[in-house]
């Protein structure tokens, strides 16, 4: 071979290497990928501390960059990195990492690509996108929760990889399975509702033995009514037990008090000691409920006259706005909230107020201002079934007793 021919061969080989990704067998990817549905995934070791920006995925000859997402149970566990195909997908799938590229393309038969969400508390029609290479004129049977609801045929003139199916989803359960079946092909996905709603709630505080070891605990027996409700691990950060959940109601025992004023959330475990809250638009703002709308008189250790109010959710009262109404006059009174617990009597709440000297205790009333409903004050009357003489002597009676004693002394001096 002449010198010129040798130079030509060398030049040809060098030019070939410029247009071919490698002149030898491709190096294996440092990560192993799998394809499930529309998504590629791989496991990243727990020791990785980066922000995943160095992981890049492209399709369509590098013109389309795939969206990424990451899930991680805790800092002590490995994470899962996802790359999702887009509707304009064309192979190959290329993984870019540390300046190198790797072809990680897996055989692709198709997948359901969701663009719709279940948002209505009723049956609704959603769009289900099939990303595949169906034959023109191919028919698909549509199943919702394993029940066939219809058939749809792809038009013979359709040349798109992307095909749209309309599916009527009934309002019967929180998560629905959807399948498109044609001959030996089957594509499946799941849809769930977004935006749980709570319209009403009722909670009763209690005190009970939860576990065979340890002491009894404060509990709340709660019922929530609404729509698009689902199972959970916590409610607004409070642990629960014996939860009964449907699309429209929740009955559960909360192992603690639900925080006053807190946004009600249904929290699902998303990691070790981490729960992701699914927010409703409802805040826990209970109405205080005094027992029988009455109060009872008494005395404190310093012989001051007191009024005691018993009931539930009395901590949802603006104590500094409590008023005593007597003889056409109104005055602010000092009050304190407290509660006691026992297995025999449960969770007992009370408000105790110091009462000043007034002319007629039996006719006095007390006005409470609810924290969350200040324009709807609660007016309480004295419980006249309680004998007042054991607590204090009414001023009018005190005057009569004094007059009687003076009279007796006067007549004794006369005789």
């Amino acid at each position: 071979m002449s010198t010129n021919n040798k130079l030509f061969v060398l030049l040809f080989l060098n030019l070939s290497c410029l247009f071919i990704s490698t002149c030898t067998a491709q190096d294996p990817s440092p990560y192993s990928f799998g394809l499930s549905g529309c998504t590629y995934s791989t496991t990243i070791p727990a020791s990785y501390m980066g922000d995943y920006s160095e992981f890049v995925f492209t399709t369509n000859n590098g013109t389309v960059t795939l969206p990424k997402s990451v899930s991680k149970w805790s800092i002590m566990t490995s994470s899962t990195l996802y790359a999702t195909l887009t509707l304009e997908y064309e192979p190959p799938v290329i993984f870019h990492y540390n300046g190198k590229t790797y072809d990680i393309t897996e055989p692709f038969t198709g997948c359901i690509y969701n663009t719709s969400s279940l948002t209505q508390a009723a049956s609704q029609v959603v769009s289900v996108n099939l990303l595949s290479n169906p034959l023109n004129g191919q028919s698909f049977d549509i199943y919702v929760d394993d029940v066939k609801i219809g058939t749809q045929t792809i038009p013979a003139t359709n040349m798109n990889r992307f095909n749209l199916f309309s599916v009527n989803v009934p309002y019967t359960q929180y998560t629905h399975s959807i399948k498109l079946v044609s001959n030996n092909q089957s594509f499946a996905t799941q849809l769930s509702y977004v935006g749980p709603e709570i319209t009403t709630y009722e909670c009763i505080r209690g005190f009970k033995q939860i576990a065979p070891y340890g002491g009894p605990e404060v509990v709340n027996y709660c019922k929530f009514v609404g729509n698009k409700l689902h199972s959970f691990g916590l409610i607004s950060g409070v642990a629960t037990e014996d939860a009964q959940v449907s699309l429209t109601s929740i009955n559960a025992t909360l192992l603690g008090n639900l925080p006053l004023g807190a946004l009600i959330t249904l929290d699902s475990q998303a990691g070790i000691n981490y729960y992701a809250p699914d927010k409703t638009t409802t805040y826990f703002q209970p109405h205080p409920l005094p027992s029988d709308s009455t109060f009872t008189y008494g005395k404190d250790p310093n012989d001051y006259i007191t009024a005691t109010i018993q009931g539930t959710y009395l901590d949802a009262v603006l104590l500094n706005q409590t008023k005593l109404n007597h003889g056409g006059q109104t005055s602010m009174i000092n009050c304190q909230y407290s509660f006691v617990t026992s297995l025999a009597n449960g969770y007992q709440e009370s408000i105790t107020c110091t009462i000043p000297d007034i002319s007629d205790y039996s006719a006095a009333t007390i006005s409470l201002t609810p924290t969350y409903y200040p324009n709807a004050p609660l007016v309480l009357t004295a419980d006249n079934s309680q004998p007042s003489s054991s607590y204090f002597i009414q001023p009018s009676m005190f005057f009569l007793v004094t007059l009687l004693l003076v009279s007796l002394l006067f007549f004794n001096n006369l005789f």
Side-chain angles (χ1 to χ4, degrees), residues 17-228:
C17 289
L18 294 176
F19 295 99
I20 300 176
S21 60
T22 178
C23 295
T24 60
Q26 176 177 292
D27 293 335
S29 168
Y31 295 94
S32 177
F33 290 88
L35 174 63
S36 177
C38 298
T39 303
Y40 282 80
S41 64
T42 189
T43 300
I44 308 298
S47 58
Y48 175 76
M49 301 299 290
D51 61 0
Y52 303 92
S53 60
E54 67 268 39
F55 299 93
V56 178
F57 304 85
T58 62
T59 61
N60 301 56
N61 292 322
T63 61
V64 176
T65 300
L66 300 185
K68 296 181 301 185
S69 61
V70 177
S71 66
K72 188 175 178 66
W73 191 251
S74 77
I75 60 173
M76 303 297 294
T77 62
S78 59
S79 58
T80 303
L81 175 65
Y82 303 94
T84 302
L85 301 177
T86 59
L87 292 179
E88 59 265 62
Y89 167 68
E90 292 291 344
V93 179
I94 302 299
F95 172 45
H96 305 258
Y97 182 72
N98 285 347
K100 294 185 178 182
T101 59
Y102 306 91
D103 187 341
I104 61 171
T105 307
E106 294 285 341
F108 178 74
T109 58
C111 62
I112 291 181
Y113 195 96
N114 296 320
T115 56
S116 297
S117 298
L118 296 176
T119 59
Q120 302 175 18
S123 297
Q124 68 182 97
V125 176
V126 298
S127 296
V128 175
N129 305 315
L130 177 61
L131 182 61
S132 68
N133 290 311
L135 298 175
N136 293 343
Q138 184 175 4
S139 294
F140 285 86
D141 293 329
I142 304 172
Y143 291 82
V144 176
D145 303 325
D146 296 324
V147 177
K148 182 179 177 180
I149 64 169
T151 300
Q152 185 170 326
T153 301
I154 296 175
T157 58
N158 192 342
M159 301 300 293
N160 296 327
R161 177 190 291 273
F162 164 64
N163 291 277
L164 183 66
F165 290 77
S166 295
V167 180
N168 187 11
V169 180
Y171 187 62
T172 55
Q173 59 196 57
Y174 182 73
T175 299
H176 295 276
S177 65
I178 296 177
K179 291 182 182 179
L180 304 179
V181 180
S182 178
N183 299 327
N184 61 343
Q185 287 185 304
S186 179
F187 304 97
T189 190
Q190 288 187 330
L191 290 178
S192 297
Y193 292 90
V194 297
E197 302 170 356
I198 290 178
T199 54
T200 62
Y201 55 82
E202 180 182 2
C203 290
I204 300 174
R205 287 168 168 169
F207 193 66
K208 64 177 289 188
Q209 186 75 37
I210 302 296
Y213 51 85
E217 301 177 30
V218 171
V219 296
N220 279 214
Y221 305 101
C222 294
K223 179 177 183 179
F224 303 91
V225 176
N227 282 297
K228 299 179 289 182

